[in-house]
């Protein structure tokens, strides 16, 4: 049997690691199309220019207001449009949230991320969230919140409370976005990100893969993130967690190598950003997660729960770090 091997791709190594905001779709598509060993080599090279490849930043998540969300995101357990069976609950009390933050700190988490199932926060609720942020900061942890769309004034209010990061994902390509969410637009997402940036808050923005999108949508998503006026300081890459009762429950599973490729291309195009191996780790083997770290992921969600779904236990993650000779990043 004869196997045809295409000519080895030309690798322009001297350009690797440069901070660029003018990535074209063609270039990003070209990165996704590299043979996996070549892509991994480039991603590793870039990762080592800016980070200690042994270190992984660990963030813990808490859902501070769960379910009953008016948005219709096709992947989400918390949308009121889908019957996921999730029990909705009101905004938590500040003291209860801070007790969870203290517990997260005691397990070694350095960042505490709080998520609320809102289209956008009401100003009265925002005051309560600001008190949570102040409490988390007083514990010596970094703070992150994800509350939906923000006005410029709301972003400034959050900044005054000491907020470090705001999470607001682009989620997918501009083309696929309207197939997954109809109650807001890709442009709305960009507007909130601009409000967050203008308020001087670090941006956490990434997306979800494995939503039944085409390879070209992963190209479009990474291009959109890497051509923002500033690269998001943190880039979460989620693998869809299929939720019963949602329109995306039965989409075709994505090959884990395509997930790893997405991490690697995020690393190469956004060299100084923290790239987070986010939702979906429970369904990944230790070997797949190790390849994600080798592709340039240097952050995870740590703790046995994400927002509404489960995540590997802390001791399982610590055991994996030990096997890989990796360590949690100091706060
Ligand atoms: N309501 C806010 C919003 O949408 O911006 C914040 C919370 S929302 C749950 C945060 C992010 O979690 C979403 O943008 C999406 O990327 C991710 N997410 C939600 N459900 C998911 C699922 N089933 N699998 C993977 N990621 C998911
Ligand atoms: C992000 O990109 N992933 C996190 C966080 N930002 C808020 C959320 C993942 C949610 C996974 C599904 C769930 O637990 O409901
Ligand atoms: Fe609501 Fe956020 Fe879920 Fe969309 S992803 S339904 S906005 S909680």
């Amino acid at each position: 049997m004869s196997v045809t091997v295409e000519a080895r791709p030309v690798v322009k190594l001297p350009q690797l690691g440069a901070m660029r905001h003018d990535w074209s779709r063609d270039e990003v598509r070209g990165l996704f199309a590299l043979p996996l060993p070549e892509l991994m080599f480039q991603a590793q090279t870039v990762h080592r220019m800016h980070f200690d490849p042994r270190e992984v930043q660990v963030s813990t998540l808490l859902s501070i207001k769960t379910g009953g969300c008016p948005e219709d995101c096709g992947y989400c357990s918390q949308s009121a449009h889908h019957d996921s069976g999730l029990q909705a609950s009101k905004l938590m009390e500040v003291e209860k949230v801070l007790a969870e933050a203290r517990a997260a700190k005691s397990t070694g988490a350095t960042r505490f991320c709080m998520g609320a199932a809102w289209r956008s926060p009401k100003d009265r609720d925002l005051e309560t969230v600001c008190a949570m942020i102040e409490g988390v900061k007083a514990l010596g942890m970094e703070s992150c919140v994800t509350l939906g769309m923000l006005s410029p004034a709301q972003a400034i209010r959050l900044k005054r409370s000491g907020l470090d990061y705001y999470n607001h994902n682009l989620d997918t390509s501009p083309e696929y976005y309207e197939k997954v969410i109809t109650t807001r637009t890709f442009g709305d997402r960009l507007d909130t990100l601009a409000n967050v940036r203008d308020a001087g808050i670090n941006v956490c923005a990434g997306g979800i893969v494995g939503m039944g999108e085409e390879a070209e949508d992963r190209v479009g998503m990474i291009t959109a993130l890497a051509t923002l006026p500033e690269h998001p300081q943190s880039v979460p890459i989620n693998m869809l967690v299929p939720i019963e009762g949602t329109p995306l429950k039965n989409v075709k599973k994505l090959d884990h190598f395509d997930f790893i490729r997405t991490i690697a291309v995020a690393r190469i195009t956004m060299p100084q950003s923290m790239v987070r191996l986010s939702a979906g780790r429970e369904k990944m083997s230790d070997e797949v997660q190790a390849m994600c770290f080798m592709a340039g992921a240097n952050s995870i969600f740590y703790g046995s729960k994400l927002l509404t779904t489960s995540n590997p236990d802390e001791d399982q993650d610590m055991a994996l770090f030990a096997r890989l000779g990796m360590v949690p990043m100091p706060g």
Side-chain angles (χ1 to χ4, degrees):
M1 188 181 82
S2 73
V3 177
T4 313
V5 179
E6 285 181 23
R8 193 160 178 269
V10 179
V11 184
K12 297 183 210 139
L13 284 179
Q15 290 173 14
L16 275 180
M19 285 295 278
R20 292 179 45 198
H21 296 82
D22 61 349
W23 290 96
S24 69
R25 270 208 183 201
D26 282 348
E27 286 175 294
V28 173
R29 194 180 303 112
L31 289 171
F32 272 98
L34 285 173
L36 190 62
E38 191 64 61
L39 178 62
M40 294 293 279
F41 173 66
Q42 292 198 24
Q44 281 261 326
T45 306
V46 173
H47 192 185
R48 281 152 197 272
M49 285 176 185
H50 300 289
F51 296 101
D52 180 337
R54 291 169 304 181
E55 290 187 348
V56 181
Q57 189 273 335
V58 293
S59 301
T60 293
L61 255 180
L62 176 69
S63 180
I64 57 170
K65 189 269 165 188
T66 306
C69 185
E71 305 274 24
D72 70 351
C73 311
Y75 45 79
C76 188
S77 61
Q78 305 198 65
S79 167
H81 298 257
H82 322 313
D83 189 8
S84 67
L86 183 76
Q87 175 87 41
S89 58
K90 289 197 298 206
L91 182 59
M92 285 174 73
E93 287 164 20
V94 176
E95 262 321 307
K96 289 201 171 127
V97 171
L98 296 183
E100 298 277 352
R102 276 190 288 273
K105 186 179 176 181
S106 73
T107 67
T110 56
R111 188 180 304 169
F112 195 64
C113 307
M114 296 168 273
W118 289 322
R119 174 173 166 83
S120 55
K122 294 196 181 71
D123 286 344
R124 198 169 56 103
D125 289 335
L126 195 68
E127 290 306 312
T128 308
V129 174
C130 287
M132 294 171 186
I133 293 165
E134 282 162 17
V136 169
K137 296 294 296 172
L139 293 173
M141 298 179 87
E142 287 184 317
S143 57
C144 177
V145 295
T146 177
L147 314 171
M149 292 190 258
L150 291 185
S151 67
Q154 288 178 320
I156 290 165
R157 176 70 190 95
L158 285 168
K159 175 67 183 174
R160 272 205 291 125
S161 75
L163 181 66
D164 297 296
Y165 289 82
Y166 194 82
N167 168 243
H168 202 66
N169 291 338
L170 292 183
D171 278 331
T172 185
S173 67
E175 301 77 35
Y176 198 58
Y177 197 86
E178 62 193 34
K179 301 203 171 75
V180 178
I181 302 148
T182 70
T183 50
R184 57 165 194 260
T185 65
F186 197 80
D188 291 332
R189 292 308 261 189
L190 294 174
D191 288 348
T192 291
L193 290 181
N195 295 340
V196 170
R197 248 189 339 264
D198 291 350
I201 301 167
N202 292 310
V203 167
C204 172
I208 315 180
V209 299
M211 293 199 292
E213 76 280 355
E214 302 288 331
E216 185 61 22
D217 295 308
R218 294 188 285 280
V219 172
M221 177 180 87
I222 297 290
T223 309
L225 291 166
T227 54
L228 287 169
E230 283 173 32
H231 294 161
Q233 282 74 19
S234 186
V235 180
I237 305 293
N238 298 274
M239 177 73 117
L240 177 74
V241 179
I243 308 274
E244 210 61 62
T246 61
L248 298 184
K249 166 71 178 91
N250 291 315
V251 292
K252 191 168 170 281
K253 295 257 175 301
L254 185 75
D255 184 341
H256 278 146
F257 287 128
D258 289 326
F259 183 83
I260 293 163
R261 282 177 188 282
T262 310
I263 298 249
V265 178
R267 166 52 64 225
I268 293 167
T269 53
M270 294 171 274
Q272 296 187 24
S273 302
M274 305 295 294
V275 175
R276 183 172 307 131
L277 164 55
S278 301
R281 287 198 298 121
E282 256 201 330
K283 290 278 171 347
M284 292 175 199
S285 66
D286 286 354
E287 291 79 4
V288 167
Q289 293 187 62
M291 279 194 80
C292 291
F293 296 133
M294 290 188 258
N298 59 351
S299 171
I300 58 166
F301 284 121
Y302 177 67
S304 58
K305 196 156 181 211
L306 293 167
L307 290 174
T308 67
T309 64
S310 56
N311 195 43
D313 287 334
E314 288 95 342
D315 50 1
Q316 207 177 320
D317 282 337
M318 283 302 160
L320 177 59
F321 286 175
R323 282 172 72 206
L324 300 178
M326 298 181 77
V327 289
M329 196 175 282

